[in-house]
């Protein structure tokens, strides 16, 4: 279809046409788009040319049985649907019930994935209806399993795979994505998927899951998001031999070839989607993660979630813990198990937060100890200290005995980012309880099996005195006849809000300070009720509201530091964000074109009523 025929059909100018089309199909574009229409001529969907069936085929448009009779007649889909007309609430009740019938979480994940392929708004409506219940099904821990089984899970394209053999053609491949106005890309090369190691192209589940959270937790319109997997091979032998493996069956490419490939990818993204397209790096392995962030953070609108997002959420937890312990950040001793992307990212942001308390960098660094697979980061150890963590090297004798060191350094906070499930043994936890009145225990490795200790273990071994957070959710803890609901120290509290703010004001860079801003905003929103329940984070259900607050603070910072590109600055940022975000409720199809009387006449039932009705019918 040529652009000329589209314009002829619409009888209007190119820019007006595009804005009208884009606004109709992707109804959630808040700002006018000024684009080079030629660039998009071969790649956008024109609603006026859509055939009726397309309204059922495209998940962005589909409402299933919720199309009213008037809409069905208007769109020419009468008869393609059964006669019943359902409300979105009724559909939600059916989905809630259907999902509850699956016993296995991977099957639930698959059900949700299919719903996303069928009816996007219903999918997000369902997710939003109970975030604590559904988040673990689209995110950690289930997403880890889905990645491991991605060969079975993979059905329809939800993102783009770019392989090392596509070098020289990345721009062309990006053009194959059917939606033109992508604003946020989440990219992985699959080398460090959660704590599960190198999953190669199976890692695609992660960018898909993270971008789902952009929408579910921050209202970023899904059409703006593009998941990408860079398939540079895998060093995971079992995948290379797995008949179901969907990636290239070669060892990982490294060195200059890898770097050139990433460079071409970054350039192609900007050429295709404008220079401030946001690129979130996710689950890259250690040397690449740190190196690429350093290389690109001042050249592109980019951040590394494992380094910076994680730092934001953990510093927020520590700021909240300070309200319980009555100790400033600078009055603690921090001991890390794991000195990789997450560990050093957190340590660096703790230093930045301490600097705001007036602690010098030297003093801050003195309060932070890190262990990696080779033991304490000691200047005396053979093999030295990895470059990204040099400043944390201590002039102490090398040791690999983390447990003994908990006592030696008198740690008041231990942070597990090691991928070693169960590494915080009962002895270590007991020692923490001796070190201070309210020890902080962060068992952050994902998925659940990789957590350094469970919530229950932490309580049981610290006489219930610990302040605990984990990367994946744990069931409530029972201790001394009381129930505690511990918090999830997961970057999902931070990256959706930061990205929303960055996207909304078209910020062209994302400095580290934005993550401290987000951390402070998150910490400020923890209530006494949260603390009484045993958690240092707000409820997961509050994340959508928190993300909007974080976004507003991020935007304020962007304007203050001349990083924003939307001018004049909106007068009311809260309203601007509220208008910006994706709406999961169905809207009427082309109500301004057609004025059919409503023919539904269906009594709307509540979700509870529907579930009850279904249960009684299916006994
Ligand atoms: N809760 C959250 O929001 C987040 C959690 N994570 C989790 O943290 C873990 C680590 O992630 P990254 O830092 O990105 O990985 P990474 O690969 O960059 O770092 C892992 C670190 O653990 C160390 N390590 C490995 N085995 C060890 C052992 N037996 N003893 C001591 N240290 C050991 C490594 O030497 C390395 O320093 C993963 O499980 C990941 O899922 C990561 C980002 C966010
Ligand atoms: C949460 C996250 O980003 C990770 O475990 O890698
Ligand atoms: Mg990650």
């Amino acid at each position: 279809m040529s652009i000329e025929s589209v314009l002829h059909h619409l009888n209007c100018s190119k820019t007006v046409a595009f804005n009208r089309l884009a606004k109709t199909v992707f109804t959630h574009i808040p700002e006018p788009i000024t684009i080079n229409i030629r660039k998009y001529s071969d790649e956008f969907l024109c609603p006026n040319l859509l055939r009726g069936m397309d309204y059922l085929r495209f998940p962005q448009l589909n409402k299933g049985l919720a199309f009213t009779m008037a809409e069905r007649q208007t769109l020419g889909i009468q008869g393609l649907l059964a006669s019943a007309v359902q409300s979105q609430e009724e559909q939600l009740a059916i989905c809630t019930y259907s999902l509850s019938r699956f016993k296995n979480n991977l099957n639930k994940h698959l059900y949700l994935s299919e719903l996303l392929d069928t009816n996007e708004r219903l999918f997000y409506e369902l997710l939003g209806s109970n975030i604590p219940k559904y988040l673990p099904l689209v995110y950690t821990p289930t997403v880890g399993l889905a990645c491991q089984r991605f060969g079975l899970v993979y059905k329809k394209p939800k993102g783009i795979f770019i392989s090392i053999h596509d070098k020289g053609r990345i721009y062309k491949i990006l053009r194959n994505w059917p939606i033109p106005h992508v604003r946020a890309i989440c990219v992985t090369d699959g080398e460090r998927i959660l704590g599960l190691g190198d999953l190669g192209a199976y890692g695609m589940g992660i960018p898909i899951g993270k971008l789902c959270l952009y929408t579910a937790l921050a209202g970023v319109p899904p059409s703006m998001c593009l998941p990408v997997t860079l398939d540079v091979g895998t060093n995971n032998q079992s995948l290379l031999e797995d008949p179901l493996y969907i990636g290239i069956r070669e060892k990982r490419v490294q060195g200059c070839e890898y770097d050139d490939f990433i460079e071409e990818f970054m350039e192609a993204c900007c050429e295709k989607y404008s220079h401030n397209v946001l690129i979130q790096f996710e689950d890259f392995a250690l040397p690449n993660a740190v190196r690429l962030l350093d290389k690109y953070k001042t050249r592109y609108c980019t951040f590394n979630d494992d380094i910076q997002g994680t730092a934001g959420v953990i510093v927020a937890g520590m700021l909240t813990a300070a309200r319980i312990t009555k100790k400033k950040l600078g009055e603690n001793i921090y001991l890390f198990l794991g000195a990789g992307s997450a560990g050093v990212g957190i340590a660096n942001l703790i230093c930045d937060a301490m600097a705001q308390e007036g602690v010098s960098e030297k003093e801050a660094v003195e309060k932070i100890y890190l262990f990696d697979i080779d033991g304490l980061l000691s200047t005396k150890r053979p093999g030295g200290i990895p470059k990204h963590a040099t400043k944390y090297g201590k002039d102490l004798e090398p040791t690999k005995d983390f447990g003994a060191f908990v006592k030696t350094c008198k740690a008041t906070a231990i942070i597990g980012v090691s991928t070693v499930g169960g590494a915080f043994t009962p002895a270590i936890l007991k020692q923490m309880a001796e070190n201070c009145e309210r020890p902080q225990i962060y068992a952050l490795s994902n998925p659940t099996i990789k957590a350094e200790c469970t919530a229950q273990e932490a309580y049981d071994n610290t006489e219930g005195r610990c302040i605990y957070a984990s990367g994946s959710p744990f069931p409530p803890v029972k201790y001394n006849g009381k129930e505690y609901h511990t918090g999830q120290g997961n970057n999902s509290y931070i990256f959706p809000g930061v990205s929303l703010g960055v996207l909304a004001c078209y910020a062209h860079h994302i400095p580290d300070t934005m993550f401290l801003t987000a951390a402070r905003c998150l910490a400020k929103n923890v209530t006494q009720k949260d603390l009484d329940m045993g958690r240092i984070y707000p409820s997961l259900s509050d994340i959508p509201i928190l993300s909007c607050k974080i976004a507003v603070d991020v935007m304020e910072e962007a304007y203050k530091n001349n990083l924003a590109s939307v001018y004049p600055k909106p007068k009311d940022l809260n309203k601007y964000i509220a208008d910006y975000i994706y709406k999961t409720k169905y809207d009427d199809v082309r109500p301004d074109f057609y004025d059919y009387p409503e023919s539904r006449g269906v009594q709307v039932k509540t979700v509870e009523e529907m579930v009850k009705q279904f249960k009684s019918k299916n006994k």
Side-chain angles (χ1 to χ4, degrees):
M1 176 63 56
S2 76
I3 185 70
E4 280 68 29
S5 61
V6 175
L7 294 170
H8 175 73
H9 197 83
L10 290 165
N11 192 22
C12 57
S13 80
K14 291 178 177 181
T15 312
V16 171
F18 185 80
N19 284 337
R20 216 167 87 190
L21 295 174
K23 280 208 165 151
T24 318
V25 178
F26 309 109
T27 47
H28 303 287
I29 301 174
E31 61 277 302
I33 311 161
T34 321
I35 45 120
N36 173 356
I37 195 86
R38 264 182 45 230
K39 208 170 153 189
Y40 295 103
S41 61
D42 54 349
E43 56 190 359
F44 67 80
L45 296 164
C46 169
N48 291 32
L49 298 175
L50 288 170
R51 298 182 64 84
M53 189 62 183
D54 296 332
Y55 281 83
L56 302 177
R57 261 192 213 125
F58 290 120
Q60 296 88 346
L61 303 174
N62 189 16
K63 302 200 273 181
L65 290 177
F67 281 112
T68 62
M69 281 302 168
E71 287 172 335
R72 295 176 194 197
Q73 285 163 13
T74 306
L75 298 171
I77 53 172
Q78 195 172 15
L80 302 184
L81 292 163
S83 308
V85 177
Q86 289 171 343
S87 67
Q88 198 179 14
E89 289 76 12
E90 288 167 334
Q91 291 182 321
L92 182 64
I94 294 167
C95 291
T96 308
Y97 179 66
S98 302
L99 192 56
S100 72
R101 287 170 60 103
F102 291 105
K103 297 288 166 257
N104 170 303
N105 281 352
L106 189 58
N107 287 336
K108 292 187 187 200
H109 179 91
L110 293 178
Y111 174 88
L112 287 168
S113 172
E114 285 195 22
L115 180 60
L116 179 57
D117 285 338
T118 319
N119 183 336
E120 192 172 82
R121 284 171 290 184
L122 189 55
F123 169 82
Y124 284 111
E125 183 74 4
L126 179 65
L127 237 58
S129 70
N130 193 337
I131 291 173
K133 187 167 167 189
Y134 299 132
L135 199 64
L137 300 175
V138 295
Y139 193 52
T140 183
T142 315
V143 73
L145 193 55
C147 285
Q148 289 173 307
R149 308 268 167 85
F150 206 73
L152 288 171
V153 169
Y154 181 64
K155 281 193 183 155
K156 278 192 170 180
K158 288 196 174 75
I160 287 199
F161 291 93
I162 304 173
S163 100
I164 189 75
H165 302 304
D166 298 322
K167 216 153 163 275
R169 285 189 296 269
I170 299 183
Y171 173 76
K172 282 192 183 155
I173 288 173
L174 289 175
R175 286 185 48 167
N176 291 339
W177 187 248
I179 301 176
H181 57 267
V182 167
R183 300 252 0 256
I185 291 170
C186 181
V187 61
T188 189
D189 71 356
E191 194 171 0
R192 195 286 278 145
I193 294 299
L194 307 177
L196 301 169
D198 183 352
L199 295 188
Y202 277 3
M204 180 54 122
I206 291 295
I208 293 173
K210 290 276 175 181
L211 288 173
C212 246
L213 269 51
Y214 268 48
T215 305
L217 301 184
V220 175
S223 59
M224 287 188 185
C225 302
L226 171 59
V228 175
T229 290
L230 298 176
D231 185 358
V232 295
T234 176
N235 293 340
N236 183 333
Q237 194 55 37
S238 61
L239 286 186
L240 291 171
E241 290 164 12
D242 174 0
L244 294 177
Y245 187 55
I246 57 167
I248 55 170
R249 288 168 195 272
E250 290 165 26
K251 291 276 181 201
R252 276 186 180 276
V253 161
Q254 286 166 336
C256 285
E257 198 183 348
Y258 178 89
D259 286 1
D260 292 349
F261 182 61
I262 302 284
E263 183 79 13
E264 183 189 333
F265 169 71
M266 299 299 281
E267 282 171 7
C269 290
C270 287
E271 195 186 346
K272 176 71 184 77
Y273 297 119
S274 95
H275 281 270
N276 50 13
V277 62
L278 187 164
I279 304 175
Q280 170 172 337
F281 280 75
E282 194 68 50
D283 291 9
F284 281 69
L286 181 53
N288 290 335
V290 175
R291 214 167 41 81
L292 296 175
L293 179 63
D294 286 349
K295 182 170 175 187
Y296 291 123
K297 72 177 176 187
T298 52
R299 281 174 57 201
Y300 290 88
C301 179
T302 189
F303 71 98
N304 181 301
D305 182 40
D306 301 298
I307 299 175
Q308 296 164 291
T310 315
V313 72
I314 300 312
V315 168
M318 288 168 174
L319 291 167
T320 305
R323 279 160 58 186
I324 304 171
T325 60
K326 313 282 180 234
K327 277 189 197 164
K328 291 183 187 168
L329 294 193
E331 292 170 306
N332 283 285
I333 298 291
Y334 303 90
L335 174 58
F336 286 76
L337 188 68
S341 308
V344 175
I346 299 168
N348 289 344
L349 203 66
I350 295 177
C351 289
D352 293 348
M354 280 196 221
Q356 292 187 351
E357 284 178 356
V359 179
S360 72
E361 178 163 17
K362 185 171 170 293
E363 282 172 311
V365 166
E366 275 167 12
K367 293 175 191 304
I368 297 175
Y369 299 85
L370 293 112
F371 270 63
D372 67 7
I373 194 157
D374 298 318
L376 176 68
L377 298 193
S378 143
T379 49
K380 298 180 181 171
R381 79 180 193 182
I385 299 166
K387 204 167 128 214
H388 71 285
T390 325
K391 75 173 180 187
Y392 297 105
K394 296 283 181 286
D395 193 16
L396 295 172
E397 285 311 310
T399 172
K400 287 195 173 182
D401 192 342
F402 181 80
F405 202 76
V406 171
K407 187 173 181 182
T408 315
C409 76
K410 300 191 179 64
T412 58
I414 47 172
I415 303 103
V417 271
S418 63
T419 74
V420 185
F424 292 166
T425 59
I428 288 174
L429 296 168
K430 286 191 172 108
Q431 182 59 49
M432 285 302 290
E434 281 189 22
N435 284 3
C436 60
E437 186 53 34
R438 301 299 307 267
Q440 297 175 52
I441 317 284
Y442 300 90
L444 303 178
S445 292
N446 295 316
T448 318
I449 42 155
K450 302 286 177 181
E452 283 76 6
C453 67
T454 67
Q456 188 70 51
E457 284 162 355
Y459 273 71
D460 286 347
N461 291 292
T462 57
E463 300 162 352
R465 287 187 277 117
C466 67
I467 298 168
Y468 176 88
S470 54
S472 299
F474 276 106
V477 168
K478 290 195 174 62
Y479 190 82
N480 258 356
K482 214 179 146 189
E483 196 169 90
Y484 298 91
H485 295 252
T486 58
Q488 205 176 328
N490 192 293
N491 47 32
S492 54
Y493 275 98
I494 298 287
F495 73 82
V498 169
S499 296
L500 175 63
V502 166
L503 292 170
C505 70
Y506 281 72
H508 47 78
H509 288 106
I510 311 175
D512 289 337
T513 49
M514 275 189 186
F515 292 90
L516 196 47
T517 300
R520 290 202 183 280
C521 179
L522 176 56
K524 214 168 54 192
N525 282 282
V526 181
T527 62
Q528 188 55 45
K529 195 171 149 224
D530 293 319
L531 299 182
D532 294 343
M533 289 176 92
R535 65 178 181 227
I536 48 173
Y537 297 105
S539 158
L540 293 173
S541 350
D542 294 338
I543 301 186
I545 293 168
L546 284 166
S547 296
C548 292
K549 292 183 180 175
I550 291 175
V552 167
D553 286 3
V554 161
M555 285 175 77
E556 286 291 7
E557 183 173 335
Y559 279 104
K560 208 165 99 195
N561 298 313
N562 292 325
L563 297 171
S565 306
V566 172
Y567 285 95
K569 178 183 170 190
K571 284 199 185 83
D572 181 346
L573 291 184
N574 287 301
K575 182 173 180 312
Y576 181 78
I577 286 288
D579 290 345
Y580 190 93
I581 60 178
Y582 177 70
K583 311 290 181 292
T584 53
K585 295 276 181 245
Y586 296 146
D587 41 15
D588 297 338
V589 176
R590 299 196 281 184
D592 47 339
F593 281 83
Y594 299 92
D595 192 19
Y596 283 89
E598 270 298 313
S599 55
R600 189 185 305 177
V602 169
Q603 188 72 40
V604 174
K605 299 188 185 73
T606 64
V607 174
E608 287 73 22
E609 279 169 347
M610 286 292 291
V611 171
K612 227 161 99 188
Q613 192 180 330
F614 270 96
K615 274 191 177 159
S616 66
K617 276 195 189 152
N618 286 282
K619 260 188 189 150

